[in-house]
Amino acid sequence: MITVFGSINMDLVATTPRLPKPGETVSGTGFATAAGGKGANQALAAKRAGASVRMVGAVGRDEFAAPALDLLEKAETDLSGVARVDGPTGTALILVGGDGENMIAVVPGANGTLSPGQAAEAVSGSKPGDILMLQLEVPAASVKAALEAAKAQGVRTVLNTAPLIAEAADLAKLADIVIANETEFELLVGREALTADQREQMLLQMHTETGQILIITLGAEGVVAAEGGRLHRTKGLKIEPIDTVGAGDTFCGYLAASLDSGLMLSEAIRRAAVAGSLACLKPGAQPSIPVSDEVSASL
């Protein structure tokens, strides 16, 4: 069983020929709404990868609540841990440029109400060996409470250090598995502008010191992970991306599901990297997440 403690959003997505510069207005070429939120995205990815998934989070009492949960509900995700609170559902405002790159502003809404008490309850029904997956779009104090409660119960924790917040380095120390992109990793180690070789050296050094499984996602350059005193490297598919929104969340969800199914880390990161590549071939966060058969076919 995988429990995801995290954010649930509605994404408002505008496409443009290119991303605007600060203070600049550009004409858009399209607009769409889609369910999102890093927590919900990763929960759906894990579910589509074949895992049993429980989502713990919050939505508001507004018109965005139902569509924000729609795809999770259709995938038969356990939503018993999703609270309905006064106020708005979390919202993400997303600009996608012609090259597939994006800019995102997130308004927490209901996600900001998640308390340390709810965090502890999120793992109350979990068993040793289950997985708790977290991100940083909900209050840091609640993420910390969830990590500590999981450790006390022998639940394996996977923390995606996104979006980048000041508490990320301290929270990462509490997780069994940490997933970061290259920018987030530099924050974790307190170094900037690392070369590829320096990054791998720091990754292995940090792994040796902490004993954690550490994973860095590198976009088109693939993935590097430290486990068992050695590095594992893999790449996704060679693609022309349409929209990179949700690719990282797809990777995280597929990684957790693959580990939950018993795959070795080297196999899990390869499967997750391919899934993340496929997610770049369709617009939107949750609609672009591939199902397990698509990933298997590409593998």
Side-chain angles (χ1 to χ4, degrees):
M1 167 68 76
I2 296 173
T3 298
V4 179
F5 180 71
S7 56
I8 302 168
N9 291 339
M10 272 302 291
D11 291 348
L12 311 180
V13 185
T15 54
T16 59
R18 61 176 176 81
L19 296 177
K21 299 175 183 178
E24 182 185 20
T25 299
V26 298
S27 295
T29 56
F31 175 77
T33 61
K38 297 192 73 62
N41 295 346
Q42 292 181 19
L44 184 62
K47 185 66 179 174
R48 288 186 176 173
S52 296
V53 180
R54 179 174 181 245
M55 179 74 217
V56 178
V59 294
R61 302 184 190 277
D62 61 0
E63 66 275 15
F64 284 159
L69 295 172
D70 182 54
L71 290 178
L72 286 170
E73 189 171 8
K74 288 178 178 175
E76 300 183 348
T77 309
D78 181 351
L79 300 178
S80 61
V82 177
R84 270 68 172 178
V85 301
D86 292 334
T89 298
T91 306
L93 310 175
I94 302 172
L95 285 178
V96 181
D99 59 358
E101 289 300 317
N102 61 77
M103 298 170 62
I104 305 175
V106 177
V107 182
N111 299 312
T113 70
L114 291 178
S115 68
Q118 287 170 288
E121 291 176 10
V123 295
S124 60
S126 298
K127 303 184 298 293
D130 285 349
I131 290 177
L132 175 68
M133 186 157 53
L134 310 105
Q135 319 76 32
L136 300 177
E137 283 185 338
V138 299
S142 300
V143 174
K144 181 180 180 182
L147 287 165
E148 291 174 342
K151 183 176 182 179
Q153 292 183 219
V155 173
R156 198 177 194 190
T157 51
V158 179
L159 175 66
N160 176 211
T161 58
L164 203 61
I165 63 172
E167 299 89 344
D170 288 334
L171 292 171
K173 296 173 184 176
L174 304 176
D176 298 310
I177 301 172
V178 179
I179 304 171
N181 64 24
E182 56 263 56
T183 302
E184 294 155 4
F185 179 73
E186 289 180 354
L187 173 69
L188 298 183
V189 298
R191 293 276 300 275
E192 295 182 359
L194 294 173
T195 66
D197 286 344
Q198 289 173 332
R199 186 167 53 231
E200 290 194 355
Q201 289 172 6
M202 295 295 293
L203 177 66
L204 197 55
Q205 178 181 332
M206 184 176 176
H207 163 66
T208 301
E209 292 172 352
T210 67
Q212 296 167 298
I213 293 176
L214 304 172
I215 301 168
I216 307 177
T217 57
L218 303 168
E221 296 303 310
V223 181
V224 59
E227 179 215 30
R230 61 182 291 248
L231 296 179
H232 303 273
R233 302 177 185 84
T234 194
K235 288 194 175 183
L237 304 174
K238 291 185 177 179
I239 59 165
E240 292 293 331
I242 294 174
D243 180 358
T244 60
V245 173
D249 293 332
T250 298
F251 175 89
C252 293
Y254 261 82
L255 177 84
S258 299
L259 294 174
D260 188 56
S261 72
L263 289 184
M264 301 292 289
L265 181 68
S266 57
E267 300 172 303
I269 61 172
R270 171 61 177 161
R271 184 176 184 232
V274 168
S277 297
L278 293 174
C280 296
L281 299 179
K282 297 178 184 178
Q286 291 186 21
S288 69
I289 298 171
V291 297
S292 181
D293 286 349
E294 293 177 273
V295 177
S296 297
S298 294
L299 283 169

